[in-house]
Amino acid sequence: MIPDATDRRLLAATASGLPLTPAPFAEIAGWLGLSEDEVIARLRGLQEAGIIRRIAAAPNHYALGMTANGMSVWDVADEAVDRLGERVGALPFVSHCYRRPRALPGWPYNLFAMIHGSSRDEVQQKRTEIAALLGDACRGHDILYSTRILKKTGMRLAEGG
Amino acid sequence: MRRTPLPPEALDATDRAALNALQDPLPLVPRPFAALADRLGLTEAALIARLAHLREIGAITRFGPFLDAAAMGGAFCLCAMEVPGPRFDEVVTLVNAHPQVAHNYERAHRLNLWFVLACEDPKDISRLAAQITAETGLPVLCFPKEREFFIGFRVQA
């Protein structure tokens, strides 16, 4: 599915958040000159297409005490990585989980999982849990802690058709 | 964005229950908060007031759609470089000068520079990686996403 110009207006209008009112979709409809039914139908279509993952609260990890995180990387047997990747991704403390190509010889890791916790000790503890889950299918792993944010740009959304 | 923890007493038990429930997908119906409020034993108005309060104190950064950037079209790629310490600042300046560099982190590893390229077209990714290599004289490793696994991540408030 390719979002049309109206979908893009809808995404742009909701990018900073939904109005916190009893009938938020009716209010958005009013902004855009659409009907409430059309706004809901378009949001459903975008969600079914995977463009919107969900409409929900984005918690502030730092404010809620999840101040530590680390990018854990794993060398998992090719035949097991998809099955185990699903299980790692489903863990409540993993916020991103991807299979990526190895860069041999220096980089044997093909599974990346971002781990969050209240302290570095807790992140290490959770890393041990993932290692146990992967078992023998994992031949090596590492964790990379960020030491500095050098650039962070919000995702820009083209508003054109 | 607030980067320090809120004091524990900033959120009461109802705030915590509401925050956990509000991380689930909002139903796409005319009165989406009403159903959720029932589940929490709150009125619709009380839930909306809690949500506004959570946003105000910075417990949540926003309440809205989570987009899949790649599904919107465009191409994204995680890249890494091994930058010698004495050249670090110079290389960061060269990399960050590209508007397609969306995030860039220093990480404690031999591969010490990790950034995301966000381009309109997949072809632009490898072209830009090659350009950064030419500008810096250092290899750029590309780690494109081959598969994204379902994420069960929830912050327990």
Side-chain angles (χ1 to χ4, degrees), chain A residues 100, chain B residues 70 73-80 98 100-102 115-133 140-145:
Chain A
R100 300 184 187 277
Chain B
F76 298 83
C77 189
L78 178 66
C79 297
H98 294 280
Q100 299 92 335
V101 174
F115 51 92
V116 173
L117 297 181
C119 296
E120 298 269 315
D121 193 288
K123 288 195 300 287
D124 297 337
I125 298 280
S126 47
R127 194 186 46 73
L128 187 55
Q131 191 183 335
I132 292 171
T133 294
V140 175
L141 299 181
C142 290
F143 296 106
K145 177 164 83 179

Side-chain angles (χ1 to χ4, degrees), chain A residues 62 146-156, chain B residues 3 78-79 88-89 91-107 112-119 128 132 135:
Chain A
Y62 297 97
S146 66
T147 42
R148 239 190 316 168
I149 299 176
L150 303 165
K151 186 175 187 182
K152 192 159 190 177
T153 313
M155 199 189 72
R156 275 159 296 186
Chain B
R3 308 284 294 190
L78 178 66
C79 297
F88 195 80
D89 290 349
V91 170
V92 168
T93 303
L94 289 168
V95 171
N96 281 357
H98 294 280
Q100 299 92 335
V101 174
H103 306 278
N104 193 357
Y105 287 87
E106 180 187 33
R107 292 190 180 276
N112 51 354
L113 193 64
W114 288 80
F115 51 92
V116 173
L117 297 181
C119 296
L128 187 55
I132 292 171
E135 288 168 357

Side-chain angles (χ1 to χ4, degrees), chain B residues 2 10 23 46-47 49-50 65 68 73 78 82 87 95 118 121 123 130-131 136 139 142 154:
Chain B
R2 187 187 177 99
Q23 291 181 70
L47 176 61
R50 295 265 176 181
D68 179 344
L78 178 66
E82 178 178 350
R87 291 196 57 199
V95 171
D121 193 288
K123 288 195 300 287
Q131 191 183 335
T136 60
C142 290
R154 294 288 185 270

